[in-house]
């Protein structure tokens, strides 16, 4: 295969076209949401790859298509390196190449496999589309996974997203590829069928009723301190940051005292360990309400990114340690050795070479009225499998995050969109407290019912939305879509073998 790739160079003009089409495809992601433009570019991309003169050239085109797509859709990735530019800015050129084209290897393999399996233009379009969907599913799992900006995410801000309760983000991606492949494989007259499919799903999703609230719902306060990431860990400002959190927690609200107050990820500028005075101070600000705080803790030689639920007596009633960590952000692979030999450490962590992973997905029993919540810390909200791994079905999802790492242009909006998708997939409301925003109350249909705008210090009190019945995706995950895709691959392979016989 390597020889075929090396000998299949399609020329810079075609690679530039592929890169440009990939960038246009990315325009469907948040905050732009140009899904029609994105699908049109996907149609052109499938035609471009399927018309390549060899599987090797198709692979190169797939690589550069992904390069354009991920360069734009993941442009926020440079923001963490600008927090301390004097230390990290030199890495930006490498990241802008390595991440888009590293993820592009999935698309290159998809283009090569789909082209190689197909016999003729029509079957190659279908093959590339099927393998592209398989590649998008795979990158959510391989090497801890990174399913950010999946092709199907272009639908999150539309009623079509409601179908994710049936087939998840993988199904939305398959739907996108189907819409793009129909005119590419069978001619432009098939655009009518694509339009009918979109209108049908839009109408169905728009007509779904909103969840019905109980008569006396629990009230939850989300606190957004808006702490500047560059100053967040400055010891001279730690007390001021804590005071801001306490004041927002103590403030009077229009709905009376909340039942639970939620602070964002690592919002407490002190360690949890042996800090009884701090816990009593937080409990006092809660005035009888439990306070769920994002905080760091140390156990032995290990550090953890945690959520601690503090009760009215100032005790840690519930504790959750983040288990799906960000590679190179929260830990360095083989971190102990890397720290000892090279002094490398994960820049999101203030503890040595990085955080240690918690034991796994959990459900927190928050007591009468509040029920059971699945806790997620930041990045964990992009993984639907983490929610499905919880030991029992919860009543709602609790996410704390620090999206200050993502800047203000695209990252926070894409992260919020994925949280909305998790709510739809699970049929559960999701409440997220973000350091700089966007903090939001999301109902079980993925609709934002209350929020705090990006970049302000504030709180919002809202009734806890009710859950829906467990939808199919929450029960079966990606298996139905995966089996369907494998069945199509089997059919294409059978057709190829018959043609050769």
């Amino acid at each position: 295969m390597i020889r075929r790739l090396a000998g299949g160079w399609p020329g810079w003009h075609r690679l530039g076209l592929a890169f440009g089409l990939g960038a246009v495809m990315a325009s469907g992601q948040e905050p732009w949401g140009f899904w029609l433009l994105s699908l049109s570019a996907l149609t052109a991309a499938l035609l471009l790859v399927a018309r390549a003169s060899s599987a090797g050239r198709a692979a190169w085109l797939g690589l550069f298509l992904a390069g354009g797509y991920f360069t734009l859709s993941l442009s926020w990735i440079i923001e963490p390196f600008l927090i301390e530019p004097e230390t990290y800015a030199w890495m930006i050129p490498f990241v802008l190449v390595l991440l888009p084209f590293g993820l592009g290897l999935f698309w290159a393999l998809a283009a090569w496999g789909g082209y190689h399996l197909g016999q003729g233009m029509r079957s190659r379009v279908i093959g590339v589309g099927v393998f592209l969907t398989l590649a998008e599913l795979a990158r959510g799992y391989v090497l801890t996974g990174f399913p950010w900006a999946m092709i199907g995410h272009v639908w999150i801000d539309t009623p079509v997203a409601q179908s994710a309760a049936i087939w998840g983000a993988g199904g939305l991606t398959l739907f996108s590829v189907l819409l793009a492949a129909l005119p590419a494989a069978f001619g432009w007259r098939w655009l009518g069928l694509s339009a009918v499919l979109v209108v049908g799903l839009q109408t169905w999703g728009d007509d779904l009723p909103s969840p019905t609230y109980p008569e006396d719902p629990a009230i939850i306060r989300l606190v957004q301190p808006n702490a500047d990431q560059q100053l967040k860990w400055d010891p001279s400002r730690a007390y001021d940051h804590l005071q801001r959190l306490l004041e927002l927690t103590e403030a009077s609200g229009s709905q009376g005292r909340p039942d639970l107050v939620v602070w964002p990820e690592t919002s407490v500028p002190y360690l949890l360990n042996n800090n009884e005075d701090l816990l009593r101070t937080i409990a006092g600000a809660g005035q009888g309400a439990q306070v769920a705080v994002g905080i760091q803790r140390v156990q032995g030689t290990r550090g953890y990114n945690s959520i601690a639920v503090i009760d009215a007596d100032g005790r840690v009633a519930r504790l959750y340690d983040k288990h799906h960590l960000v590679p190179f952000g929260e830990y360095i692979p083989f971190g102990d050795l890397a720290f000892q030999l090279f002094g490398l450490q994960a820049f999101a962590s203030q503890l040595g070479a990085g955080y240690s992973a918690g034991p796994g997905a959990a459900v927190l029993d928050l007591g009468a009225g509040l029920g059971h919540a699945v806790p997620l810390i930041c990045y964990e909200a992009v993984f639907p499998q983490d929610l499905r791994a919880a030991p029992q079905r919860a009543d709602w999802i609790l996410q704390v995050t620090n999206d200050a790492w993502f800047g203000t242009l695209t990252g926070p909006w894409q992260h919020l969109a994925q949280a909305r998708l998790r709510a739809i997939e699970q049929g559960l409301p999701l409440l997220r407290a973000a350091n700089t925003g966007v903090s939001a109350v999301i109902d079980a249909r993925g609709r934002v019912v209350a929020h705090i705008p990006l970049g302000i210090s504030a709180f919002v009190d809202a009734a806890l939305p009710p859950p829906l019945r467990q939808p199919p995706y929450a029960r079966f995950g990606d298996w139905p879509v995966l089996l369907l895709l494998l069945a199509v691959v089997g059919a294409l392979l059978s057709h190829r073998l018959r043609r050769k016989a």
Side-chain angles (χ1 to χ4, degrees), residues 73 408 414 492:
S73 61
T408 60
Q414 291 175 7
L492 289 172

Side-chain angles (χ1 to χ4, degrees), residues 338-477:
F339 185 67
Q340 291 172 12
L341 295 181
F342 308 108
L344 293 177
Q345 69 178 46
F347 58 78
S349 167
Q350 301 299 304
L351 303 168
Y355 295 121
S356 293
V363 172
L364 303 179
D365 184 355
L366 299 175
L370 292 167
H372 295 79
V374 176
L376 303 173
I377 299 179
C378 191
Y379 181 69
E380 291 178 322
V382 308
F383 297 98
Q385 64 265 35
D386 286 357
L387 283 161
R388 294 189 61 249
Q392 68 182 80
R393 178 164 169 79
D395 302 300
W396 59 288
I397 303 166
L398 168 64
Q399 184 198 10
V400 301
T401 185
N402 178 20
D403 286 4
W405 290 108
F406 302 151
T408 60
L409 297 178
T410 60
W413 306 106
Q414 291 175 7
H415 202 198
L416 173 64
Q418 290 175 87
R420 294 175 61 190
L421 192 59
R422 298 295 86 80
I424 295 169
E425 291 168 346
Q426 298 297 318
L428 297 176
L430 187 151
L431 283 77
R432 70 189 315 256
N435 171 27
T436 55
V438 177
S439 300
V441 178
I442 302 166
D443 72 11
R445 297 283 188 207
R447 299 160 182 163
V448 177
V449 297
H451 76 285
I452 306 173
L454 187 69
I456 68 170
S457 176
F459 70 87
V460 62
D461 291 343
L464 175 62
L468 297 172
R469 293 182 61 183
Q470 187 177 28
Y473 183 80
R475 294 196 298 270
F476 305 115

Side-chain angles (χ1 to χ4, degrees), residues 95-343:
V95 173
L96 285 176
V97 174
L98 291 177
L99 182 61
F101 285 92
L103 294 173
L105 294 175
F106 287 94
W107 288 26
L109 287 171
W112 181 87
Y115 184 99
H116 190 70
L117 191 61
Q119 293 287 301
M121 180 67 183
R122 182 172 296 175
S123 60
R124 282 173 180 162
V125 167
I126 296 171
V128 171
V130 168
F131 273 79
L132 184 58
T133 306
L134 284 169
E136 286 291 86
L137 282 173
R139 71 179 178 93
Y141 294 89
V142 176
L143 298 176
T144 78
F146 188 64
W148 199 291
M150 289 180 66
I151 292 172
H153 289 173
V154 301
W155 300 108
I156 293 176
D157 202 32
T158 75
V160 172
Q162 297 302 320
S163 66
I166 301 170
W167 55 11
L172 291 175
T173 298
L174 176 59
F175 180 65
S176 303
V177 170
L178 172 66
L179 295 177
L182 282 174
F186 301 103
W188 297 107
R189 62 185 179 276
W190 285 76
L191 278 173
L193 178 58
S194 295
V196 168
L197 292 173
V198 172
V199 171
L201 268 188
Q202 292 265 21
T203 303
W204 170 78
D206 206 34
D207 287 343
L208 291 173
S210 297
T212 302
Y213 284 73
E215 291 185 3
D216 187 25
I219 302 299
I220 296 182
R221 171 170 297 184
L222 303 178
V223 170
Q224 182 172 297
N226 196 37
D228 189 322
Q229 188 62 36
Q230 292 180 309
L231 305 174
K232 184 178 176 183
W233 299 114
D234 184 342
S236 66
R237 296 176 178 266
Y239 178 77
D240 292 337
H241 288 162
L242 179 62
Q243 280 299 115
R244 188 185 310 172
L245 289 160
L246 295 172
E247 289 170 3
L248 292 170
T249 301
E250 292 173 335
S252 299
S254 60
Q255 302 190 54
R257 291 305 306 166
D259 300 289
L260 175 70
V261 180
V262 183
W263 294 6
E265 176 191 16
T266 61
S267 54
V268 180
Y270 305 101
L271 291 176
L272 178 64
N273 303 71
N274 303 317
N275 220 331
E276 287 80 8
D277 289 342
L278 171 65
L279 298 183
R280 284 193 291 268
T281 299
I282 294 173
Q287 301 176 54
Q290 296 182 86
V291 185
V293 302
I295 192 168
Q296 298 179 105
R297 71 182 191 92
V298 174
Q299 183 174 327
T301 60
R302 299 293 176 183
Y304 297 90
N305 185 356
S306 306
I307 296 174
V309 181
I310 302 168
D311 65 18
D313 297 320
R315 297 173 299 193
V316 177
R318 301 286 183 271
L319 185 67
Y320 169 71
D321 297 319
K322 185 177 184 181
H323 72 280
H324 204 143
L325 302 176
V326 183
F328 300 100
E330 293 178 309
Y331 78 99
I332 297 290
F334 307 104
D336 293 337
L337 182 62
F339 185 67
Q340 291 172 12
L341 295 181
F342 308 108

